[in-house]
Amino acid sequence: MQNKIQFTKWITLILLFILVVLNVPSFGQTLKAKGINYIPEIEVMFNEGIMYYRKGDFPKAQEFFSLLIKEYPPHQRITISYIMSAKCAYKLGNYREAVSLTDKLIKNYPESHYVSYARFVKGYSLYQLGKFSNSLICFLEVADQSEDKKLVEKAQNFALEIIDNNITLSELIKLKEKVTPGKISAAIITIKMAVKYLNIGKRDQAISLLQNFIKLYPDNPYNCLLYTSPSPRDLST
């Protein structure tokens, strides 16, 4: 029985040697195929940074995340390190630094799962800098492109708030001409433009805008919103 236990221990040690030292798991191979290294010590340092972040020690946390970005070749935690470093910068009031960090992630890793989160943090940072139109664009992009439903909802709500409080009708018109909106952002921009037209007494423009949108995008799943805020049907009575 003891020999069997000893044999099992040896097998376990050999497997650990193969996995850690020889670095042959499919995870590592997948990372290498993308030009990213799997570095075991990165996990320890990343967890240290997370620990300090959760404690509210943002300067110390950012030290770890900055080290992971600057001192190592691309690794398994590189994109989330950019996100966490940007979040630390935001918490410390360094909004321009947060924008710079998120821009680097978006530029260097455009296919990363964290691109939408980078745009979200960038949107908040730009808002704090008073760059409301650019902030709005970030949140609209997140609403259109993210697969995270909670993130989409947050981005959508904040985009609506920015338009209500910080964007004029003329700015919204320019924005519509400047960007290529997706399903969510197209509906948001259209509804809010119609509301702003109504607020200045331009009822016909509001009705025309909504009707043209429905004709142009008949399959947009957000068309139902166009009949609630405000709708051509209600306005024509």
Side-chain angles (χ1 to χ4, degrees), residues 15-178:
L15 287 172
L16 286 172
F17 177 83
I18 291 172
L19 289 172
V20 177
V21 179
L22 297 184
N23 194 27
V24 295
S26 59
F27 176 59
Q29 291 173 344
T30 301
L31 290 172
K32 282 190 173 182
K34 296 180 179 180
I36 296 176
N37 304 278
Y38 180 80
I39 306 173
E41 67 187 80
I42 292 294
E43 296 299 321
V44 176
M45 296 179 63
F46 180 78
N47 288 332
E48 286 283 312
I50 292 294
M51 180 189 70
Y52 282 111
Y53 184 88
R54 287 174 176 169
K55 287 181 178 180
D57 191 343
F58 304 118
K60 189 68 176 178
Q62 193 171 31
E63 285 182 22
F64 280 92
F65 299 128
S66 295
L67 193 65
L68 292 173
I69 292 168
K70 298 175 181 178
E71 301 298 326
Y72 289 87
H75 51 77
Q76 73 273 18
R77 293 289 191 179
I78 186 68
T79 50
I80 186 61
S81 293
Y82 272 107
I83 293 292
M84 294 308 301
S85 186
K87 289 178 71 173
C88 288
Y90 182 90
K91 291 285 189 179
L92 294 168
N94 300 326
Y95 306 121
R96 286 183 175 83
E97 182 184 2
V99 170
S100 176
L101 286 163
T102 52
D103 278 342
K104 287 176 182 177
L105 188 158
I106 294 166
K107 179 182 177 181
N108 296 332
Y109 304 95
E111 297 181 1
S112 170
H113 167 72
Y114 290 105
V115 164
S116 288
Y117 295 93
R119 289 197 174 104
F120 192 81
V121 176
K122 181 181 177 180
Y124 269 113
S125 302
L126 288 169
Y127 182 84
Q128 295 295 342
L129 292 169
K131 298 182 178 181
F132 303 121
S133 292
N134 291 333
S135 173
L136 175 60
I137 289 172
C138 287
F139 289 117
L140 292 176
E141 287 176 339
V142 173
D144 284 331
Q145 298 171 17
S146 178
E147 296 179 357
D148 185 327
K149 291 182 179 180
K150 289 184 178 180
L151 193 68
V152 167
E153 184 178 355
K154 289 180 181 179
Q156 179 178 321
N157 290 337
F158 205 68
L160 291 168
E161 186 176 332
I162 292 173
I163 294 173
D164 284 341
N165 300 314
N166 307 105
I167 303 293
T168 64
L169 176 58
S170 60
E171 288 172 333
L172 201 55
I173 292 170
K174 289 178 182 178
L175 183 68
K176 185 182 179 183
E177 296 171 350
K178 182 179 178 181

